Amino acid sequence: MSAPVAFVTGASRGIGKACAIQLARAGFDVACTARTQVEGEEREHSSTVRKRDVRPLPGSLATTAEAIAAEGRRVLTLPADLLDISQLEVAIATVLDTWGRIDVLLNNGRYVGPGHMDRLVDTPLDLLGRHLDANVLAPLALIKLVLPQMLERGNGLVIDMTSDVAWSDPPGAAGNGGWGLGYAISKGALHRVAGVLAHEVAGTGVAVVNVSPGFVATERIAIDMAEFGFDASKGASPELVGRVVAWLATSGVASEWNGRTLEAQPMARELGFA
């Protein structure tokens, strides 16, 4: 019998990379998508319209693939931009043609770029649109692509990486300890998906679950976010979130969480991971 297959977006670094590796460790073959293919690529990652920052960030699909292979699992690297649905369609088709199934879809990737930490009066509307396209419409497109084969098979798990910003107000404005509206409204919209789809998949063996990672010390938080008042040293490790995601995917409890939000850090403490 072939191994189960996980499809992870935003897998070049941070939470996505950690989840991909932990899923591999738990026995999954893993298909990884992201924009960064090899170390050292320059991409815009400034969170504000006030400046441009294309310094290479640590991480790439190639590096993640090496770690997955080291776990003894098969890996597919699929360069794809969440702002281009056609690339996502090709990625899903490639996995289904190659491995014949996708058992877990992890919608982890999100828009990275200006508008994330800008105030509304300073944010062009097209940047708000990019947040919604990448953080909401892209995950929905992926769900529509993978759900039919999950329903036909009678099992599957969709995980949407949500955020506390979906239901919590910031302590201040963007730049004063808070965050921009684009991030908040897009995560709020994604957060509502699981509760609605839970009724559509009820009783089918498929579950749709939100996972909230909490504040996590990713590479980008450490490099980009100190100027906005976020201290990476106070964040949890991405690996902790990855372990919780792998537990959700393998422990047989996914149906109990259908339509609900699993908060990764409290669950990690409950499970003895932290």
Side-chain angles (χ1 to χ4, degrees):
M1 181 177 177
S2 60
V5 173
F7 186 102
V8 181
T9 67
S12 58
R13 62 181 61 87
I15 294 172
K17 175 183 178 181
C19 289
I21 294 169
Q22 293 296 330
L23 285 164
R25 191 165 294 168
F28 285 81
D29 294 331
V30 186
C32 300
T33 72
R35 294 180 303 166
T36 305
Q37 299 180 54
V38 296
E39 298 288 338
E41 290 185 23
E42 293 185 354
R43 296 189 181 276
E44 173 63 71
H45 58 87
S46 174
S47 293
T48 174
V49 297
R50 295 191 302 274
K51 67 176 184 179
R52 189 163 187 261
D53 192 345
V54 295
R55 292 174 296 170
L57 293 170
S60 67
L61 287 178
T63 301
T64 302
E66 289 177 3
I68 292 169
E71 298 294 336
R73 306 311 317 171
R74 296 183 298 175
V75 59
L76 284 175
T77 56
L78 304 157
D81 190 328
L82 293 174
L83 294 173
D84 188 337
I85 298 297
S86 66
Q87 293 182 13
L88 302 178
E89 293 171 341
V90 169
I92 293 293
T94 299
V95 179
L96 294 178
D97 289 345
T98 304
W99 289 341
R101 61 191 296 152
I102 295 174
D103 299 270
V104 173
L105 167 64
L106 173 55
N107 285 314
N108 165 79
R110 65 171 180 83
Y111 168 76
V112 173
H116 177 54
M117 295 297 293
D118 291 302
R119 302 184 185 196
L120 178 60
V121 293
D122 301 319
T123 308
L125 285 177
D126 71 298
L127 293 186
L128 296 178
R130 289 188 181 190
H131 278 87
L132 293 168
D133 287 343
N135 298 358
V136 186
L137 293 182
L140 289 175
L142 289 169
I143 293 171
K144 284 174 65 67
L145 290 166
V146 304
L147 201 54
Q149 52 93 42
M150 289 182 175
L151 293 171
E152 181 179 0
R153 198 168 53 248
N155 65 76
L157 173 62
V158 175
I159 302 173
D160 290 334
M161 197 63 70
T162 186
S163 168
D164 291 5
V165 307
W167 62 85
S168 301
D169 293 330
N176 288 336
W179 43 81
L181 193 60
Y183 183 55
I185 63 174
S186 60
K187 280 298 187 181
L190 179 66
H191 186 77
R192 297 309 312 144
V193 171
V196 174
L197 291 188
H199 294 289
E200 298 186 17
V201 302
T204 66
V206 178
V208 185
V209 182
N210 287 325
V211 170
S212 177
F215 185 54
V216 177
T218 64
E219 300 92 338
R220 189 167 175 273
I221 289 289
I223 292 171
D224 287 347
M225 301 304 288
E227 65 178 292
F228 299 104
F230 296 90
D231 182 359
S233 69
K234 297 180 179 179
S237 71
E239 288 72 24
L240 195 68
V241 181
R243 291 184 68 184
V244 172
V245 164
W247 168 81
L248 177 65
T250 58
S251 61
V253 301
S255 62
E256 301 172 22
W257 286 94
N258 185 33
R260 298 168 59 195
T261 298
L262 190 160
E263 297 193 50
Q265 294 188 42
M267 180 56 72
R269 290 191 291 271
E270 183 177 326
L271 295 171
F273 295 163

